[in-house]
Amino acid sequence: MTGKEFWHYKHKMGPVTTFCCGPNNRGVAISGGKLFMGTLDAKLVALDAKTGKLLWRPRSPTPRRATARRCRPPWSTARC
């Protein structure tokens, strides 16, 4: 391990965003060559783990009905 950064992903936040817990990491999970990340504006994105390219971003609730992700994606077994 060298600590070298291979890629960087910057999520574009929705128009109305209220930080409930600060703009920090909401958790990630890796499976099948994809990196899944819960975002502060209640979105869930999938990135190619090798390139960082956005693979998909499903439709999510509008900001008024959304809640921020505070931890890892729900299917991950990692502890918060």
Side-chain angles (χ1 to χ4, degrees), residues 12-74:
K12 294 180 182 175
M13 300 293 278
V16 178
T17 303
T18 302
F19 296 121
C20 71
C21 313
N24 51 15
N25 186 328
R26 300 296 177 210
V28 298
I30 298 175
S31 178
K34 295 177 183 72
L35 183 140
F36 300 92
M37 180 175 74
T39 66
L40 185 58
D41 58 348
K43 304 286 191 256
L44 180 66
V45 298
L47 309 172
D48 183 288
K50 288 186 179 180
T51 66
K53 178 183 175 187
L54 180 65
L55 299 175
W56 55 261
R57 178 183 54 217
R59 296 184 99 173
S60 295
T62 61
R64 287 185 178 162
R65 296 183 57 109
T67 58
R69 293 194 178 278
R70 296 183 189 152
C71 192
R72 55 156 174 78

